[in-house]
């Protein structure tokens, strides 16, 4: 049947709705059968595993021999492959199939999809790209979002999509990321590098030299479970040693956090409660006390930094009439004057390592706490000493585990090869920017042509008409679902390549099924920053249903353009793995022994051995003239002339306390919505990944919903008991979640972990009504409620933690959870 006949057929017949019943087919009927039982090695963000296969189905999953601290999430791994949310075959949204780019976009998200063949799906995809490039040029297409696609150097799904789509034509890209957008923008001005993605001082040195460790907005025990590459979990051995030292009174650890973190419980360390979003005020109060008690290291400030003199009048209140005294800070932060004064003493006595988490910069003015913390560390004067100074990543991807120093394997190219030209070879963005801050894409869709400030430049929003997503889940990661719906009404076409029926698929027009990482062969770096070795990721089962690897999907797509060879360079999956491995072996020749590829593949792993201890910024400390920082002056910039020249009202030339647009505990907006909602990273997932893992999810859900953690007094005041269903709401949206009442959360603070799947239902409770603006989320996605604003004119970064809400006991007809059961399948 050609396209026209098919569409005619669709239009002429009445449709039957197949609600997900076919999704419950027995699992072992889905994969190829066999009687083998083999152990194979593979890797993932959750660590490395060994798996067996029985009758063609993954059977046992056990942790890798070298992983001494495997995460509990290992119990969810099988469910990543076998779950009811898998995308089984290519599907197209009903009205898009009928009307293409003239479809009724208000229907987008009503979840009605029609199954099509791979050929049809890929040609519809290409036709759409043709139409966009012809009508609008490259500014009409955004394919630049990235995310936590599965690990693997070959099968990086984002690279595959961007290389192939890039061979078709140019498109809008992003700068920065949701993780550290504000931090990675401010710190190059202050410390000369992003710091967040830099290797940190080695844990053994910290354990040896630190007297005090301040965990500031930081929960490493929770967050080190996952890594950007296959995680080794070696950091946990150091955390175990730290726990011992805390018990022996050898190291004092203070966790500055509104909530009792998993790390605080594990270490048995001190917790210092602080009102959310007020950390800059606390830091200023401490700094003020240091100055008034003459505790700061004047020689270090003089020799290694610039601009303390410009900052001091602000601190002392000579500029704005407000001295940033401990008394002043206490009123804002809820931390007592005595404790603030004591912190100034404690931090300047002995060796103090400040370890910043990232959450604190995912808020409005998120640049400020990072800058001010660097100023505090400068005043303490221990930057560049082992166990002293400041770090911004010890909770992430094995940072602090000494690096092996070996060369890691390369990756499949994301960009076009030298000399390759796109089919539509235009770079005319019609006066708009070709790159926009990562979290501002919804604003761009809503207000094309608008010019904003961003990091010293002007960005003019392109008129985006089509989005392509692969390896990221924007209907998880972006803020303010109802605003997103309004933006998506303006798009002509949305294409998503994913393993599962995420909410992003739900709001797409063309959905293509990728297989999981366990259904293809790959290689990975073992231990991101530690770079412990090279791991074989051996295919466990054939791709389920009609899913394909991203490599195969885009090889077929490239073939439609006559560019298959250009895309693959004429190499198969195994050819690529061999090539990446052999290049790595050559780069390590004479330094690290690596066997030939076949031996490696058979043994599953090559070990590079242990790395050496290292202290961040020690070279700068040794000689700031020979080893300057990457800042304009080469010194730590307490005052930045460059930033001051930008003249931003929300990011002046030195760190400053600024009130937030929404803040609890007496701040703006708290009279109407008194509760601060934090949407921290989940303990039992990687963002939205593993939420689909049904059995594992059921170990933590409450009445099938995502938990919302509540303080007992807040719960009681609203007549809520542990286990009740709760409606959480503000002017932006509403969701259902299940109450978990816990003393770990203070009054006025609730937590719903990000990554809870968006499962909107209409007023009638139907999943088809999920496209309605204001629809209730039936599962509990916190981004139904968060604010979509930029951190400031500097970074324009994600500010999800500037968010107030209210909650109540849910009364009303309880809707079914619509998040996980896949689309409403329409057939003739
Ligand atoms: N409210 C709030 N929002 C946040 C945050 C927060 O703290 N609070 N945190 C932010 C941060 S730091 C981040 S990093 C982002 C995370 O946001 P994302 O990185 O977008 O989140 P993931 O859920 O990991 O999305 C990865 C998607 O890739 C898919 N995928 C996995 N493997 C493959 C593959 O092999 N092929 C293809 N095609 N697809 C694959 C998965 O199924 C999943 O849908 O969220 C941000 N959003
Ligand atoms: N298990 C697991 N680990 C992960 C991830 C995951 O999804 N699951 N994601 C990974 C990724 S992509 C990232 S970006 C990192 C995220 O790393 P982070 O952003 O650092 O992690 P979070 O756990 O969200 O937040 C850490 C702590 O900040 C506190 N906090 C929030 N707001 C404030 C505040 O205003 N003041 C103070 N003092 N504290 C505050 C929270 O209460 C929480 O305890 O984690 C990585 N690790
Ligand atoms: Mo992140």
């Amino acid at each position: 049947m050609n396209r026209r006949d098919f569409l005619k057929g669709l239009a002429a017949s009445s449709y039957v709705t197949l609600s997900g019943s076919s999704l419950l087919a027995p699992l072992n009927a889905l994969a190829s059968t066999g009687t083998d039982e083999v152990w194979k090695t593979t890797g993932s963000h959750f660590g490395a595993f060994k798996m067996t296969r029985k009758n063609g189905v993954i059977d046992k999953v056990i942790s890798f021999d070298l992983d001494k601290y495997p995460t509990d999430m290992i119990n969810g791994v099988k469910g990543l492959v076998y779950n009811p949310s898998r995308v089984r075959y290519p599907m197209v949204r009903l009205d898009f199939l009928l009307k293409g780019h003239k479809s009724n976009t208000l229907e987008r998200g009503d979840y009605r999809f029609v199954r099509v063949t791979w050929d049809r799906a890929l040609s519809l995809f290409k036709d759409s790209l043709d139409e966009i490039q012809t009508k609008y040029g490259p500014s009409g297409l955004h394919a630049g979002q990235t995310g936590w696609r599965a690990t693997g150097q070959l099968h990086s799904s984002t690279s595959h999509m961007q290389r192939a789509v890039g061979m078709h034509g140019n498109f809008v890209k992003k700068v920065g990321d949701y993780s550290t957008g504000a931090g990675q923008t401010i710190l190059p001005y202050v410390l000369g590098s992003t710091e967040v993605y830099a290797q940190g001082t080695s844990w053994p040195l910290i354990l040896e030299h630190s007297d005090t460790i301040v965990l500031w907005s930081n929960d490493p025990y929770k967050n080190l479970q996952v890594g950007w590459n296959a995680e080794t979990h070696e950091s946990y051995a150091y955390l175990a040693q730290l726990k011992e030292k805390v018990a022996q009174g050898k190291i004092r650890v203070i966790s500055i956090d509104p909530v009792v973190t998993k790390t605080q419980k594990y270490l048995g360390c001190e917790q210092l409660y602080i009102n959310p979003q007020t950390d800059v005020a606390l830091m200023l109060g401490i700094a003020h006390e240091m100055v008034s008690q003459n505790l700061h290291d004047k020689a270090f400030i003089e020799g290694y930094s610039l601009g303390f003199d410009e900052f001091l009048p602000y601190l002392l209140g000579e500029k704005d009439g407000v001295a940033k005294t401990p008394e002043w800070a206490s009123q804002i932060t809820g931390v007592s004057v005595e404790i603030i004064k004591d912190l100034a003493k404690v931090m300047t006595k002995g060796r103090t390592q400040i370890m910043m988490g990232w959450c604190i910069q995912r808020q409005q003015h998120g640049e400020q706490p990072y800058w001010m913390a660097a100023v505090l560390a400068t005043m303490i004067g221990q930057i560049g000493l082992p166990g002293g100074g400041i770090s911004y990543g010890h909770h992430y991807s094995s940072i602090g585990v000494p690096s092996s120093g070996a060369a890691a394997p390369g990756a499949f190219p994301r960009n076009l090869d030298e000399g390759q030209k796109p089919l539509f070879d235009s770079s005319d963005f019609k006066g708009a920017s070709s790159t926009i801050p990562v979290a501002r894409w919804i604003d761009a869709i809503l207000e094309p042509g608008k010019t904003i400030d961003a990091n010293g430049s002007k960005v003019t929003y392109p008129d985006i008409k089509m989005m392509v997503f692969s390896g990221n889940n924007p209907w998880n990661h972006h803020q303010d679902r109802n605003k997103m719906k309004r933006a998506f009404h303006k798009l002509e076409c949305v294409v998503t390549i994913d393993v599962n029926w995420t909410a992003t698929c739900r709001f797409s027009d063309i959905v293509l099924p990728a297989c999981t990482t366990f259904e293809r062969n790959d290689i990975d770096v073992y231990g991101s920053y530690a770079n412990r070795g090279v791991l074989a990721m051996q295919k466990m089962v054939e791709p389920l249903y009609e899913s394909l690897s991203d490599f195969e999907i885009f090889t077929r797509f490239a073939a439609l353009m006559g560019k298959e060879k250009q895309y693959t360079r004429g190499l198969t999956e195994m050819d690529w793995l061999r090539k990446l491995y052999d290049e790595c072996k050559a780069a390590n020749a004479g330094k690290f022994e690596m066997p030939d590829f076949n031996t490696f593949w058979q043994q599953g792993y090559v070990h590079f051995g242990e790395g050496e201890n290292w202290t961040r910024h020690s070279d700068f400390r040794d000689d700031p003239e020979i080893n300057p920082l990457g800042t304009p002056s080469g010194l730590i910039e307490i005052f930045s002339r460059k930033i001051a020249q930008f003249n931003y009202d929300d990011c002046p030339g030195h760190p400053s306390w600024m009130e937030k647009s929404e803040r609890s505990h007496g701040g703006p907006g708290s009279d109407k919505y008194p509760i601060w909602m934090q949407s921290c990273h989940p303990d039992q997932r990687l963002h939205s990944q593993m939420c689909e893992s049904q059995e594992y999810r059921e170990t933590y859900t409450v009445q099938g919903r995502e938990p919302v953690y509540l303080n007992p007094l807040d719960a009681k005041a609203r007549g809520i008991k542990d286990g009740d269903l709760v409606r959480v709401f503000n002017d932006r949206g509403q969701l259902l979640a299940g109450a978990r009442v816990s003393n770990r959360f203070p009054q006025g603070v609730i937590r719903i972990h990000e990554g809870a799947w968006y499962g909107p239902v209409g007023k009638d409770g139907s999943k088809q009504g999920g496209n309605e603006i204001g629809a209730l989320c039936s599962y509990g996605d916190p981004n139904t409620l968060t604010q979509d604003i930029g951190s400031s004119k500097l970074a324009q970064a994600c500010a999800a933690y500037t968010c107030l809400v209210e909650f109540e006991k849910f009364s009303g007809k309880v809707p079914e959870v619509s998040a996980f059961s896949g689309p409403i399948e329409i057939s003739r």
Side-chain angles (χ1 to χ4, degrees):
M1 215 172 14
N2 67 29
R3 180 168 183 218
R4 192 177 303 133
D5 288 344
F6 184 74
L7 293 182
K8 258 197 330 215
L10 267 179
S13 60
S14 57
Y15 303 114
V16 185
T17 298
L18 298 178
S19 268
S21 65
S22 62
L23 292 170
L24 303 173
L27 295 177
N28 50 8
L30 306 175
S32 63
T33 50
T35 50
D36 51 333
E37 168 149 10
V38 279
W39 288 100
K40 290 192 176 185
T41 314
T42 191
S44 74
H45 295 297
F46 316 100
F49 315 117
K50 284 186 162 176
M51 292 178 153
T52 55
R53 186 177 60 205
K54 212 170 185 178
N55 299 324
V57 177
I58 295 172
D59 185 28
K60 299 191 192 77
V61 182
I62 61 162
S63 63
F64 192 50
D65 317 342
L66 293 176
D67 191 343
K68 304 296 179 231
Y69 297 87
T71 159
D72 278 352
M73 285 191 236
I74 208 166
N75 299 317
V77 165
K78 244 166 88 174
L80 287 176
V81 181
Y82 307 111
N83 70 71
S85 310
R86 284 288 299 251
V87 185
R88 299 163 168 237
Y89 23 74
M91 292 189 93
V92 178
R93 183 169 69 82
L94 175 60
D95 204 52
F96 187 85
L97 196 57
L98 296 172
K99 306 199 197 97
H101 286 229
K102 300 213 156 45
S103 78
N104 180 1
T105 56
L106 298 175
E107 285 183 13
R108 197 177 276 128
D110 79 2
Y111 231 7
R112 291 181 301 161
F113 282 82
V114 181
R115 177 180 182 171
V116 298
T117 63
W118 265 110
D119 284 351
R120 180 169 303 278
L122 288 175
S123 60
L124 281 173
F125 184 5
K126 182 176 170 294
D127 291 349
S128 277
L129 289 172
D130 288 351
E131 192 166 340
I132 294 292
Q133 292 287 357
T134 309
K135 281 202 305 207
Y136 311 107
S139 58
L141 175 67
H142 188 346
Q145 288 283 355
T146 62
W148 278 74
R149 49 88 182 168
T151 64
Q153 295 298 95
L154 169 58
H155 287 288
S156 159
S157 47
T158 317
S159 295
H160 284 286
M161 184 274 279
Q162 291 189 348
R163 179 169 164 90
V165 171
M167 286 183 164
H168 181 278
N170 291 317
F171 53 83
V172 175
K173 294 188 174 143
K174 61 96 186 181
V175 59
D177 57 41
Y178 285 77
S179 311
T180 64
Q184 66 177 263
T185 308
I186 188 75
L187 289 178
Y189 293 102
V190 179
L191 291 167
S193 92
T194 71
E195 295 296 305
V196 290
Y197 298 132
Q199 178 58 296
T201 299
S202 307
W203 274 109
L205 295 176
I206 292 171
L207 289 164
E208 188 185 334
H209 296 281
S210 295
D211 297 301
T212 304
I213 296 176
V214 180
L215 292 171
W216 208 312
S217 169
N218 201 346
D219 196 355
Y221 196 72
K222 168 170 72 67
N223 288 338
L224 286 163
Q225 292 177 91
V226 302
W228 180 246
N229 295 98
E231 186 49 55
T232 63
H233 300 125
E234 287 165 279
S235 315
Y236 285 88
Y238 300 121
L239 289 176
Q241 292 174 40
L242 183 57
K243 182 183 165 79
E244 253 175 62
K245 298 219 174 215
V246 169
Q248 295 161 353
K250 288 189 179 146
I251 299 182
R252 183 172 176 188
V253 180
I254 307 168
S255 168
I256 303 180
D257 204 300
V259 315
V260 175
T261 63
K262 198 176 178 185
T263 309
Q264 191 271 340
K265 286 203 88 169
Y266 171 75
L267 293 177
C269 68
E270 295 161 55
Q271 187 225 1
L272 177 58
Y273 165 84
I274 181 167
N275 286 338
Q277 306 189 84
T278 66
D279 301 81
V280 173
L282 175 59
M283 293 170 186
L284 287 166
I286 296 169
H288 192 283
E289 178 69 7
M290 284 180 185
V291 170
S292 65
Q293 298 302 315
N294 204 16
L295 298 170
H296 54 313
D297 186 334
K298 285 153 295 278
F300 187 82
I301 294 171
E302 175 83 8
Y304 294 90
S305 78
L306 199 75
F308 190 66
D309 294 345
E310 273 106 329
F311 170 69
L312 202 54
Y314 169 76
L315 185 69
L316 300 178
E318 289 161 11
K319 242 169 135 181
D320 54 0
V322 183
K324 313 301 177 299
T325 60
E327 290 74 14
W328 168 84
S330 176
Q331 289 201 341
I332 298 170
T333 60
V335 180
S336 74
V337 174
E338 295 67 49
I339 290 180
I340 297 174
K341 290 184 173 175
D342 190 50
L343 280 172
K345 273 195 214 84
V346 170
M347 291 170 88
T348 47
K349 202 179 102 205
R351 195 64 64 79
T352 301
Q353 174 79 44
I354 303 173
M355 294 185 174
M356 302 298 294
W358 291 349
C359 200
I360 198 175
Q361 51 85 63
R362 246 177 270 120
Q363 11 178 284
Q364 196 181 20
H365 316 131
E367 297 86 353
Q368 302 305 315
Y370 267 33
W371 196 351
M372 189 55 214
V375 172
L376 264 191
T378 306
M379 293 172 75
I380 295 168
Q382 298 174 359
I383 290 174
L385 292 178
I390 187 159
S391 71
Y392 296 87
H394 273 102
H395 63 293
Y396 180 69
S397 285
S398 299
I399 282 180
V401 177
S403 304
S404 67
F412 186 80
R414 178 171 288 194
N415 298 320
L416 274 57
D417 295 345
E418 189 77 30
Q420 289 179 348
K421 288 249 177 295
L423 207 58
F424 287 79
D425 192 13
S426 165
S427 301
D428 179 8
F429 283 78
K430 305 208 161 101
S433 304
S434 59
T435 304
I436 60 175
V438 64
R440 301 274 57 82
W441 59 288
I442 290 291
D443 281 349
I445 297 169
L446 286 169
E447 295 185 86
K450 182 178 171 181
T451 298
I452 61 158
D453 286 301
N455 200 11
S457 315
K458 298 282 179 193
V459 166
T460 300
Y461 289 145
D463 195 358
I464 300 164
K465 297 293 185 187
M466 176 169 176
M467 299 280 322
V468 185
F469 302 108
S470 183
N472 63 94
N473 184 5
W475 284 78
N476 161 53
H477 71 227
H478 196 68
Q479 287 58 59
D480 196 344
R481 295 286 168 258
N482 288 309
K483 181 175 165 187
M484 288 180 76
K485 282 183 187 171
R486 289 189 196 96
F488 271 53
H489 291 158
K490 296 187 71 183
L491 295 172
E492 288 182 18
C493 180
V494 184
V495 180
T496 298
I497 301 100
D498 206 304
V499 179
N500 298 300
W501 271 99
T502 59
T504 302
C505 297
R506 183 199 279 258
F507 285 88
S508 298
D509 301 309
I510 302 173
V511 175
L512 305 176
C515 65
T516 68
T517 192
F518 310 109
E519 294 154 73
R520 59 197 185 204
N521 294 302
D522 213 328
I523 56 174
D524 202 4
V525 180
Y526 188 45
S528 316
Y529 283 81
N531 188 13
R532 215 23 96 238
V534 186
L535 197 66
M537 297 171 67
Q538 296 168 342
K539 186 200 271 190
M540 288 304 304
V541 288
E542 290 303 316
L544 259 59
Y545 315 105
E546 284 186 15
S547 70
L548 298 172
S549 73
D550 298 273
F551 183 39
E552 176 63 22
I553 293 171
F554 284 102
T555 301
R556 292 187 189 188
F557 178 85
L560 287 182
M561 300 184 284
K563 289 172 180 276
E564 181 178 349
K565 273 261 157 58
Q566 277 190 38
Y567 178 73
T568 63
R569 294 187 186 161
L571 304 176
T572 63
E573 179 186 77
M574 283 319 278
D575 293 342
W576 267 102
L577 296 183
R578 224 171 256 282
K579 171 182 151 68
L580 294 176
Y581 181 87
D582 288 344
E583 285 168 359
C584 176
K585 181 172 152 67
N588 282 318
K591 286 169 267 172
F592 296 89
E593 265 316 302
M594 292 174 72
D596 63 64
F597 178 79
N598 290 342
T599 312
F600 155 72
W601 195 253
Q602 217 177 0
Q603 65 194 34
Y605 182 60
V606 174
H607 196 59
F608 292 143
E610 309 296 311
E612 273 169 37
N613 285 337
W614 181 78
T615 302
R616 179 141 195 88
H617 293 314
S618 65
D619 54 347
F620 167 65
R621 189 177 184 100
D622 289 348
D623 194 331
E625 268 173 39
I626 294 179
N627 309 306
L629 299 178
T631 55
S633 61
L635 299 169
I636 302 164
E637 299 212 354
I638 295 174
F639 176 87
S640 164
R641 201 165 303 280
K642 253 183 142 171
I643 293 180
Q645 279 165 356
F646 298 156
N647 225 354
Y648 295 155
D649 52 357
D650 52 7
C651 190
H654 58 70
S656 314
W657 161 251
M658 284 168 280
E659 188 50 278
K660 314 294 165 217
S661 64
E662 293 183 15
R663 188 170 68 75
S664 57
H665 301 85
S670 60
D671 40 352
K672 185 170 183 196
Y673 293 113
I675 307 290
W676 181 64
M677 184 190 73
Q678 55 165 222
S679 44
C680 291
H681 287 227
D683 189 19
Q684 286 157 300
R685 287 193 297 262
L686 171 59
H687 314 299
S688 74
Q689 297 184 67
M690 214 167 260
C691 201
E692 69 271 28
S693 189
Q694 195 171 340
E695 278 178 31
Y696 190 60
R697 181 177 75 244
E698 285 164 3
T699 62
Y700 60 83
T701 49
V702 178
Q703 295 194 39
R705 324 283 150 158
E706 181 72 10
V708 52
Y709 296 92
L710 309 168
N711 174 272
L713 294 173
D714 285 339
K716 197 168 168 221
R718 291 162 181 79
I720 293 165
K721 293 190 305 297
D722 191 79
D724 281 348
L725 281 189
V726 173
R727 189 177 79 100
V728 189
F729 59 96
N730 58 20
D731 290 340
R732 289 181 288 272
Q734 52 169 345
L735 61 81
L736 268 189
R740 274 282 164 261
V741 178
S742 162
N743 270 319
R744 282 176 55 193
F745 296 83
Q747 274 188 280
V749 172
I750 67 171
R751 174 184 292 192
I752 306 178
H753 287 128
E754 62 97 11
W757 280 32
Y758 184 52
V761 290
K763 284 192 195 67
D764 59 356
S766 72
K767 86 180 183 187
Q768 188 173 334
N771 61 338
E772 291 166 14
I773 302 278
L776 177 73
C777 175
S778 60
Y779 181 70
D781 169 12
N783 277 324
T784 314
L785 304 169
T786 48
Q787 225 187 153
D788 177 25
I789 54 165
S791 55
S792 80
K793 296 187 177 77
L794 192 84
Q796 293 288 2
C798 165
Y801 291 76
T802 299
C803 176
L804 294 183
V805 301
E806 179 52 284
F807 62 94
E808 63 186 17
K809 189 169 168 172
F810 182 69
S811 58
K813 192 160 173 279
V814 180
E816 261 180 56
V817 174
S818 76
F820 304 107
S821 56
I824 301 165
E825 187 172 342
I826 307 292
S827 76
R828 269 186 291 168

